[in-house]
């Protein structure tokens, strides 16, 4: 029997394929925009210039200082550039850093957005913006930050280093995992979530050894799109709260943090979400959801511990304190003792396990 549910399709246009970046000028024109500001990180400045050449007369200028976790002070500088160039559109090329900056500019100015992802982050498909100020990362959900157009070009992911492919892909899988036990989950998104996990988990091990494998790259980008749709359509839970806490408080790399934490967050929630765990296990082809995710991460050869990412051991208690201050909805009650145990195991890179049942009453 199918339970009562609500499903709301988000108003985004998606162009998927190979060589699709060449259509960027047409997509900007389709939005009715005339002057586009290209956004990149410093490392992708040269790629941004090639994109600018494709825009031709529609190019308004460049801002190449997009930064991880979208610091408010960087957004303010980009807003100055937006005004100086007279741009009425932004074209964000890159991963979550540039996508986040484009969203922050859209929120403050109302400019339209074209996003061209080069990683598997998935945030391009969401009406969610995470911003950091004073060492704290906060998120908002609003259609004002949803990109109007997303151009997926498989060719742009060929240069993505194997390890970044792996962590970016697991980051995308986290969106689908939490969608399966979200409070507002629905059958449509659950189908997309399972297929996203299945597609990415099969493609990522290939990409680690064969980064130029076009078929695997296509599957990974398709899977990332599915997972991004999940993130945009339903609410997230404990895993995302923890990653925002850890990233904003200790300046940890975004995708790598998601990769380390995901198996532990899934293990914590497993007793309260058996149907979701069964779906994750089927998608992974593993007998246990949390252990299957841990084994996947280990097989990819990426860091398994928060310590390897630069988190100090003294941060375990701080992270637990922050995580329980204003917790997201979660299928299992969020307790400080349980979260501290989770973070401690993630810090050490140990195998995940469910929090002790007595923590429920702590």
């Amino acid at each position: 029997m199918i339970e009562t549910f609500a499903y709301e399709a988000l108003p985004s246009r998606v162009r998927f394929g190979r060589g699709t970046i060449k259509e960027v000028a047409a997509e900007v024109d389709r939005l009715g925009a005339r002057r586009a500001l290209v956004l990149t990180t410093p490392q992708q400045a040269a790629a941004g210039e090639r994109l600018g050449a494709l825009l031709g007369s529609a190019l308004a200028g460049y801002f190449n200082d997009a930064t991880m976790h979208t610091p408010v002070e960087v957004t303010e500088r980009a807003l100055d550039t937006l005004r100086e160039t007279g741009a009425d559109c932004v074209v964000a090329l890159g991963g979550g850093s540039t996508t986040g900056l484009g969203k922050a500019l859209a929120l403050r100015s109302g400019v339209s957005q074209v996003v061209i992802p080069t990683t598997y982050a998935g945030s391009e498909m969401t009406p969610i913006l995470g911003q950091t100020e004073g060492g704290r990362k906060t998120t908002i959900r609003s259609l004002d930050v949803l990109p109007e157009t997303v151009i997926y070009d498989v060719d742009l992911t060929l240069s993505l280093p194997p390890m970044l492919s792996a962590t970016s892909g697991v980051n995308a899988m986290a969106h689908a995992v939490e969608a399966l036990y979200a409070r507002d989950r629905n059958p449509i998104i659950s189908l997309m979530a399972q297929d996203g996990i299945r597609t990415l988990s099969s493609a990522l091990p290939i990409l680690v050894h064969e980064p130029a494998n076009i078929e695997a790259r296509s599957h990974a980008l398709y899977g990332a799109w599915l997972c991004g749709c999940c993130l945009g359509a339903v609410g997230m839970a404990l895993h995302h709260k923890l990653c925002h806490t850890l990233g904003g408080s200790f300046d940890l790399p975004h995708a790598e943090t998601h990769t380390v934490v995901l198996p532990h967050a899934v293990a914590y929630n497993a007793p309260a979400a058996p149907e979701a765990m069964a779906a994750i296990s089927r998608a992974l082809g593993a007998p246990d959801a949390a252990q299957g995710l841990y084994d996947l991460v280990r097989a990819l050869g990426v860091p398994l511990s928060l310590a390897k990412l630069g988190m100090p051991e003294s941060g375990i208690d701080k992270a637990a304190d922050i995580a329980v201050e204003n917790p997201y909805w979660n299928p299992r009650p969020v307790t400080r003792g349980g979260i501290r145990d989770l973070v401690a195991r993630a810090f050490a890179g140990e195998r995940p396990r469910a929090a002790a049942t007595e923590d429920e009453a702590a």
Side-chain angles (χ1 to χ4, degrees):
M1 179 176 178
I2 298 177
E3 297 179 0
T4 301
F5 67 90
Y7 171 71
E8 184 175 349
L10 295 175
S12 289
R13 172 177 165 81
V14 172
R15 187 74 176 89
F16 189 103
R18 297 188 63 187
T20 47
I21 191 174
K22 296 175 183 177
E23 300 172 18
V24 63
E27 293 297 339
V28 168
D29 182 67
R30 184 185 180 91
L31 294 174
R34 294 292 176 265
R35 295 181 59 77
L37 177 67
V38 172
L39 309 176
T40 73
T41 61
Q43 295 79 12
Q44 291 184 301
E49 291 184 5
R50 292 192 292 272
L51 174 60
L54 293 173
L55 284 166
S57 60
L59 175 67
Y62 302 93
F63 184 85
N64 300 323
D65 292 326
T67 306
M68 186 172 59
H69 303 307
T70 319
V72 170
E73 60 270 21
V74 174
T75 300
E76 293 299 329
R77 288 196 285 113
L79 194 58
D80 289 340
T81 302
L82 185 77
R83 291 166 178 157
E84 290 166 2
T85 59
D88 58 358
C89 174
V90 293
V91 180
L93 175 70
S97 297
T98 49
T99 301
L101 178 58
K103 290 179 173 183
L105 293 174
L107 180 67
R108 289 162 173 78
S109 68
V111 293
S112 55
Q113 305 172 71
V114 175
V115 179
I116 307 174
T118 59
T119 71
Y120 305 130
S123 59
E124 65 277 356
M125 292 307 302
T126 78
I128 302 169
L129 168 63
Q131 303 179 98
T132 304
E133 186 172 19
R136 291 288 184 94
K137 189 169 186 177
T138 58
T139 60
I140 66 166
R141 178 181 285 264
S142 169
L143 287 178
D144 291 338
V145 304
L146 180 70
E148 283 79 5
T149 302
V150 179
I151 299 175
Y152 288 107
D153 189 332
V154 176
D155 292 342
L156 297 182
T157 65
L158 291 174
S159 60
L160 193 62
M163 292 300 98
L164 184 53
S165 297
T167 56
S168 179
V170 177
N171 177 21
M173 289 173 61
H175 311 327
V177 164
E178 293 224 299
L180 286 166
Y181 53 67
R183 177 168 48 180
D184 52 351
R185 64 188 179 275
N186 63 72
I188 309 304
I189 293 301
S190 293
L191 285 171
M192 298 177 79
Q194 291 180 70
D195 203 34
I197 295 169
R198 180 189 61 79
T199 306
L200 273 165
S201 64
S202 61
L204 294 178
I206 297 173
L207 293 183
V208 168
H209 301 290
E210 302 176 40
N213 187 307
I214 288 293
E215 184 176 6
R217 286 289 182 190
S218 297
H219 287 160
L221 192 58
Y222 171 73
W225 169 64
L226 291 174
C227 294
C229 290
C230 295
L231 176 64
V234 298
M236 296 289 106
L238 173 64
H239 170 79
H240 282 74
K241 173 65 176 183
L242 278 177
C243 291
H244 290 160
T245 296
L246 294 166
S249 300
F250 306 107
D251 198 31
L252 303 183
H254 181 80
E256 289 86 343
T257 302
H258 276 268
T259 302
V260 170
V261 171
L262 183 60
H264 301 278
V266 168
Y268 183 94
N269 281 327
E275 291 184 5
M277 297 304 130
I280 296 165
S281 296
R282 286 195 301 271
L284 292 172
D288 179 85
Q291 302 303 325
L293 287 166
Y294 183 85
D295 289 338
L296 173 64
V297 172
R298 186 174 62 175
L300 294 176
V302 296
L304 288 167
S305 72
L306 294 173
K308 287 278 184 68
L309 303 185
M311 177 179 162
E313 188 170 7
S314 60
I316 295 173
D317 284 300
K318 178 181 178 181
D321 289 337
I322 297 174
V324 299
E325 282 179 4
N326 295 293
Y328 292 4
W329 177 89
N330 194 62
R332 185 177 185 180
V334 175
T335 66
R336 189 190 183 282
I339 299 307
R340 192 196 183 283
D341 180 71
L342 186 165
V343 175
R345 297 188 73 81
F347 175 83
E350 298 172 359
R351 274 200 168 272
R353 71 177 181 195
T357 54
E358 55 263 29
D359 286 333
E360 303 286 13

